[in-house]
Amino acid sequence: MGADQSISAPTVDVSAAAPGSAGAGTAAGGPVVFDVRDLDVYYGDFRAVRNVSLQIHQHEITAFIGPSGCGKTTVLRCFNRMNDLVETARVDGQVLYHGVDLYDPRVDAVEVRRRIGMVFQKPNPFPKSIYDNIAFGPRVAGTKENMDDVVERALRGAALWDEVKDRLRSSAMGLSGGQQQRLCIARAIAVEPEVVLMDEPCSALDPIATARIEDLMQEIKTEYTIVIVTHNMQQAARVSDRTAFFTTEVNPESDMRTGLLVEYDRTEKIFSNPSDERTENYVTGRFG
Amino acid sequence: MSLGDSAEPGPLRIHYTAELNELKLQTEMMGVLVDQNLERMREVLVTGDRAIAARAIAADDEIDAMNVSLTEHCYRVLARENPMAHDLRLVVSVIRVTATFERIGDLSLRVAKVVDDQPLIAGHAGIFEVLQFMADGAIDRYREALRAWATGDVELAGVVASGSGPIDQAADRLTEEMLALSGPDAVKVALRANTIGHSLQRISDHASILGRRIQYLVTGDETYLAAEVR
């Protein structure tokens, strides 16, 4: 449980976890948004990830890199309790969001996901109009603001407004892959989250669409904190402020692989002079 | 629980690894060509042999060509392979080191080109002795730097980086010798001795730069980059 939360409250309100309410800014970065402490994630008896400890800083882009199966997406999904949707998933350790333990049973997972949005690998717009895709979240959240304004602001924020302003009532399915992904980012930011999680957001996009998303990430990081999982090391090197490298260890008896965090540092350090040989082997492409 | 095979360097990017090794070796070979010209420079300084001076001038073309070729090779690797970490430091260091080698080669030619006035210099024992000391010292320091490059010996690189003291002191002695010159050829001797002495001191300085660069390459510590330009 976070040190600054009210234990007398019947529920723990993450919306009260105002930015900067825990983890003061340091010379090493801005205020801490997520403080992950000794995180283990299990699927049934299988431990998918072990002993992850790191801090995500406000208004920074943090990249998770590592080989397939190293647990980077699993850790990302802990940040907005997406793993709750997996029946056998269990989380040990703590994920503190501005000092509030996200896995405290009194925390409302829906509120968590409103504050901490997510963009997935494959663009997944609803089979509805562009307008309705954006308006869906704010409507559910019961926004009192003029919906046209909300939609325009979100689309502008995702650098999509100029391309779609004349066809807002057209189906979102008619957009290109890159536009669909920016629509999903617009949809994520329409509910005004503090954090945007991105799980390989460019893996299905061509280089031009990828460049647009990367530009967009740089633009919106002044307002949002971004955590991105990527298989593209150059992308991590280009866009992120910090990088976490995960790898796998193998249990020789069961042949089961468990992910672990090897190194977490400033991105330029990770890619120019990593401290751990395993990181060096991975970023130089010699991981065998 | 043990680390799996995936944590060990595996047989990936074999061609790329070979290309980087080739780049490092070619740089060393360019360094050897420069070393040969430094030896010719010393011979010219000591003997005034015009044929050796001519060979040094001809050999410099090959050094220049290698510099261009290696630089282009580095640009290709940067463009194609996106090198990271030690690989990136190696490629950018090759660009820096080959440029430094090329500069050292040019400085050795400056000395060799004074060949026609070598008898004049040799006629002034004090100056001649200091210049020979500086030539020996500069060559020794360059060779240590080249050895540190070839072996990745960071300790030796550190010794080279901080070892310019004796050459600098000799340069001061040379100035004193030049100020003490008199007679009708004093100005000419001083001008030629100054050219040679300044070139030898610069070769020594470039050996220090190489030492710092090798320290950076091996350790990744960026403070060596700042030291390199001081």
Side-chain angles (χ1 to χ4, degrees), chain A residues 47 233-234 237 247-252 256-258 270-274 277-278 280-281 283-288, chain B residues 1-13 16-17 20 82 84-89 219-222:
Chain A
R47 185 162 66 165
M233 278 190 296
Q234 277 70 43
T247 191
T248 56
E249 60 183 7
V250 183
N251 184 326
M256 298 292 266
R257 287 171 182 263
T258 298
I270 292 288
F271 287 102
S272 67
N273 189 23
E277 191 183 0
R278 289 167 293 178
E280 174 100 18
N281 287 335
V283 301
T284 58
R286 291 190 178 77
F287 203 99
Chain B
M1 193 77 77
S2 65
L3 288 175
D5 294 341
S6 57
E8 298 297 327
L12 286 178
R13 306 191 82 184
Y16 170 55
T17 304
L20 291 181
N82 290 116
M84 293 283 187
H86 183 273
D87 297 346
L88 178 60
R89 298 202 301 276
T219 66
D221 184 344
E222 291 175 0

Side-chain angles (χ1 to χ4, degrees), chain B residues 133-202:
Chain B
F133 174 84
M134 290 179 73
D136 290 344
I139 292 171
D140 285 349
R141 282 172 44 65
Y142 171 79
R143 284 183 177 158
E144 285 180 340
L146 186 55
R147 189 149 51 89
W149 172 265
T151 59
D153 185 338
V154 72
E155 234 170 82
L156 179 59
V159 170
V160 179
S162 57
S164 65
I167 304 278
D168 294 340
Q169 287 157 19
D172 292 340
R173 251 176 36 234
L174 180 65
T175 304
E176 287 168 17
E177 293 283 350
M178 290 190 296
L179 288 172
L181 284 170
S182 60
D185 60 356
V187 172
K188 191 171 184 183
V189 171
L191 286 172
R192 298 293 180 264
N194 186 59
T195 298
I196 296 169
H198 181 70
S199 299
L200 296 172
Q201 191 176 18
R202 290 302 296 145

Side-chain angles (χ1 to χ4, degrees), chain B:
Chain B
M1 193 77 77
S2 65
L3 288 175
D5 294 341
S6 57
E8 298 297 327
L12 286 178
R13 306 191 82 184
I14 294 168
H15 175 76
Y16 170 55
T17 304
E19 191 169 29
L20 291 181
N21 288 338
E22 176 72 12
L23 203 53
K24 188 167 181 291
L25 188 63
Q26 288 282 334
T27 303
E28 191 180 331
M29 288 173 67
M30 180 182 171
V32 170
L33 291 182
V34 173
D35 181 276
Q36 289 169 348
N37 253 14
L38 285 170
E39 195 57 50
R40 291 185 184 108
M41 170 197 78
R42 173 157 55 190
E43 282 292 303
V44 171
L45 178 65
V46 173
T47 67
D49 188 322
R50 287 195 177 85
I52 294 175
R55 281 209 292 279
I57 291 166
D60 191 57
D61 290 343
E62 195 179 345
I63 292 169
D64 290 349
M66 275 198 89
N67 183 33
V68 172
S69 159
L70 279 164
T71 303
E72 286 173 348
H73 192 167
C74 288
Y75 291 168
R76 282 200 304 276
V77 171
L78 287 169
R80 283 202 330 254
E81 304 285 1
N82 290 116
M84 293 283 187
H86 183 273
D87 297 346
L88 178 60
R89 298 202 301 276
L90 174 64
V91 176
V92 297
S93 293
V94 166
I95 294 171
R96 176 71 154 134
V97 166
T98 53
T100 303
F101 283 170
E102 193 272 337
R103 188 78 196 113
I104 291 172
D106 284 351
L107 289 164
S108 74
L109 275 199
R110 276 199 198 177
V111 177
K113 284 177 177 173
V114 186
V115 61
D116 289 343
D117 292 323
Q118 188 275 344
L120 194 63
I121 301 288
H124 290 78
I127 286 177
F128 193 48
E129 184 191 331
V130 175
L131 289 177
Q132 286 185 81
F133 174 84
M134 290 179 73
D136 290 344
I139 292 171
D140 285 349
R141 282 172 44 65
Y142 171 79
R143 284 183 177 158
E144 285 180 340
L146 186 55
R147 189 149 51 89
W149 172 265
T151 59
D153 185 338
V154 72
E155 234 170 82
L156 179 59
V159 170
V160 179
S162 57
S164 65
I167 304 278
D168 294 340
Q169 287 157 19
D172 292 340
R173 251 176 36 234
L174 180 65
T175 304
E176 287 168 17
E177 293 283 350
M178 290 190 296
L179 288 172
L181 284 170
S182 60
D185 60 356
V187 172
K188 191 171 184 183
V189 171
L191 286 172
R192 298 293 180 264
N194 186 59
T195 298
I196 296 169
H198 181 70
S199 299
L200 296 172
Q201 191 176 18
R202 290 302 296 145
I203 290 170
S204 168
D205 291 343
H206 282 297
S208 295
I209 290 170
L210 290 172
R212 293 289 182 220
R213 171 56 62 163
I214 294 160
Q215 286 177 302
Y216 166 71
L217 168 62
V218 176
T219 66
D221 184 344
E222 291 175 0
T223 56
Y224 293 123
L225 290 180
E228 189 182 72
V229 294
R230 274 202 290 273

Side-chain angles (χ1 to χ4, degrees), chain A residues 105-147:
Chain A
R106 294 168 299 170
V107 165
D108 178 0
V110 174
E111 176 61 14
V112 168
R113 290 177 203 131
R114 195 196 69 73
R115 303 273 296 177
I116 304 161
M118 193 153 189
V119 176
F120 296 90
Q121 183 173 359
K122 195 174 166 199
N124 58 348
F126 307 135
K128 291 177 174 294
S129 71
I130 293 166
Y131 187 100
D132 286 341
N133 264 271
I134 305 298
F136 181 82
R139 277 184 192 134
V140 170
T143 184
K144 306 250 185 324
E145 206 179 339
N146 181 302
M147 194 56 72

